[in-house]
Amino acid sequence: MIQVENEYGSFGCDHNYINVLTWFFQDSFGPDVIYFTTDGPGGYKCGSLQGTQPLFTTIDFGVGSDAAKDFAKLRKFQPNGPNVNSEFYTGWLDHWKHKHSTRPAEKLGESLDKLVSLNASVNLYMWHGGSNFGLWSGAQNRNGLIANPTSYDYDAPQSEWGDVKLDKYWAIRNVTEKYFPGNKMPVPQDSKKLGGIPLNLTLVGLLTDQIGPETLVKRFPLPHTMEQVGVFEGILAYEHEVTPGKPLVNVELEILGVHDRAYVVTDGIFVQVVGREEEVKFNVTAHKKITILVENMGYIGFSKAMLDYNAEYKGLKNVTVNGCVWTHWNHYKINVTDTSTRRTTNKLTAASSHKTKIWKGKELLPKGPAIFSGEFVLEKSQLLDTFVNITRSWSKGYLIVNDILIGRYWPDAGPQYTLYLPGVWLKEGTNTISLVETAELHSL
């Protein structure tokens, strides 16, 4: 079986597109293959081709859905062939600022039993949880952008790190043994983990240290989005150089159309964080530079919102000073994985006369988003899967181990507070670890 499209019916309704795509698959792989599409109940009216061979239509739904009703509707669309749920959701994905998503094991077993009793074919999504390593985590649009964390554990029967969750494992196995008796496979055992390694991190640099000729993307009169300058992940820095002899003193600054999060630094002093679509005006003083680092928190991966540029673009639209549009902006690509100190030109402590800024009741890092690094030593026997616990002393940022970007952390938002670190990325001897903290640090 080869899948031609996935939930296209939630995105568009171009049957010519589906037809041509199917033809391409046929031309590449021949006639002796089952080609199929997957959509939610009802989505197949746009996501598949009714009564057309060789395209076969499957549906997806999860725990608690009315399987008999959903398959009855599919049968009206597709009179022949087996009933197939190609994505039976065993759990659900998480979003920052929301509770951890779970589905009860008992309900999972009941729903799976119902599916099998209907003689339906079932593919479990997910059986094994996963990780959005690096910057691969995406987002959804539900009355605004809600971004996904690094973990894609999904409350799946087998966890992100490979251990089985016994309640869900037995809920599924009891159903399979009911209909297909004789399975006496041993229960998988948990893998050995590394734990108890203390970490000491010190401040080694600033993200703004990367700003220079080698990271300059382009100069424009007005700010451009990330897509317009060819930067599709991470952080883009916008910098305005103040005209010599004409300082901006206690002016009102407003950043318009932030997607998804902006960190504002004036003359090397961290002054403000602006969230997505927040309409915030604040006073600043700048004698040399205004620097705005804008973070891309992930693109929308589902629904028609992917076609909505106003929902999907990353970066910012405009900056005003005292109500006037401010011009002349340099655009710099910031590499969040570059934790070296070779570019460190700024002093890492704030001027003694500077009072630390308070943002939402917390102290901002004095000089802006900063890099904290340390080392730990392992023996060969310790090269095992482990977890890095990002306590609430930290706010929001990125975890890097041995120059590998593990992912994002955001304990201020939750629900994820630990990041899974596969043992294959550890090494015998000295290992390096860095946190790129974007906002505030409560204590070390």
Side-chain angles (χ1 to χ4, degrees), residues 175-407:
V175 173
T176 60
E177 290 186 354
K178 174 182 176 181
Y179 293 93
F180 310 98
N183 178 9
K184 301 301 180 183
M185 292 177 59
V187 178
Q189 299 299 304
D190 292 351
S191 62
K192 190 177 180 180
K193 307 294 192 303
L194 170 68
I197 302 297
L199 300 173
N200 296 308
L201 305 181
T202 57
L203 180 62
V204 299
L206 305 169
L207 281 187
T208 51
D209 293 335
Q210 292 189 30
I211 292 177
E214 65 274 25
T215 59
L216 177 65
V217 179
K218 199 74 175 179
R219 294 184 176 91
F220 292 106
L222 295 174
H224 280 46
T225 65
M226 289 187 175
E227 295 78 19
Q228 288 172 329
V229 298
V231 176
F232 298 98
E233 62 181 13
I235 292 175
L236 182 67
Y238 300 79
E239 190 164 86
H240 170 82
E241 296 180 1
V242 177
T243 303
K246 296 182 179 180
L248 302 175
V249 180
N250 200 32
V251 297
E252 184 181 74
L253 190 72
E254 183 175 16
I255 306 173
L256 305 175
V258 171
H259 283 193
D260 297 306
R261 193 171 168 92
Y263 309 94
V264 186
V265 179
T266 60
D267 293 342
I269 303 299
F270 201 174
V271 296
Q272 187 75 20
V273 178
V274 181
R276 183 180 171 103
E277 302 292 4
E278 286 183 352
E279 296 182 1
V280 180
K281 298 178 181 179
F282 51 97
N283 289 354
V284 301
T285 293
H287 292 82
K288 295 181 178 180
K289 297 177 181 178
I290 298 175
T291 307
I292 305 169
L293 297 96
V294 181
E295 179 184 10
N296 175 348
M297 290 174 56
Y299 284 101
I300 298 168
F302 178 78
S303 81
K304 293 180 174 65
M306 292 189 292
L307 291 173
D308 183 358
Y309 181 72
N310 288 324
E312 266 288 68
Y313 79 86
K314 303 297 179 180
L316 56 86
K317 286 292 188 70
N318 255 323
V319 181
T320 67
V321 173
N322 290 336
C324 299
V325 174
W326 217 242
T327 60
H328 298 94
W329 293 93
N330 297 336
H331 298 61
Y332 300 90
K333 183 178 180 180
I334 301 299
N335 179 5
V336 296
T337 310
D338 185 356
T339 58
S340 67
T341 59
R342 64 181 183 273
R343 290 197 184 98
T344 302
T345 56
N346 297 324
K347 292 181 180 179
L348 297 179
T349 56
S352 58
S353 60
H354 171 63
K355 183 179 179 180
T356 304
K357 283 282 186 177
I358 303 298
W359 179 74
K360 294 189 176 181
K362 300 174 183 176
E363 291 186 355
L364 291 175
L365 292 167
K367 303 286 285 182
I371 302 162
F372 297 81
S373 296
E375 296 179 345
F376 58 99
V377 177
L378 297 177
E379 298 177 359
K380 188 175 182 179
S381 62
Q382 294 177 295
L383 304 184
L384 304 168
D385 288 359
T386 189
F387 304 89
V388 179
N389 180 22
I390 311 291
T391 69
R392 298 197 184 192
S393 295
W394 304 87
S395 176
K396 187 180 191 301
Y398 306 88
L399 168 66
I400 296 129
V401 177
N402 292 331
D403 296 324
I404 298 170
L405 178 55
I406 306 302

Side-chain angles (χ1 to χ4, degrees), residues 25 45 62 71 115-116 128 137 142 145 219 243 255 268 282 326 356 361 383 393 413 419:
F25 275 93
K45 294 178 182 179
F71 280 130
L115 274 169
V116 181
H128 194 318
S137 57
R142 297 175 186 168
L145 182 130
R219 294 184 176 91
T243 303
I255 306 173
F282 51 97
W326 217 242
T356 304
L383 304 184
S393 295
L419 277 76

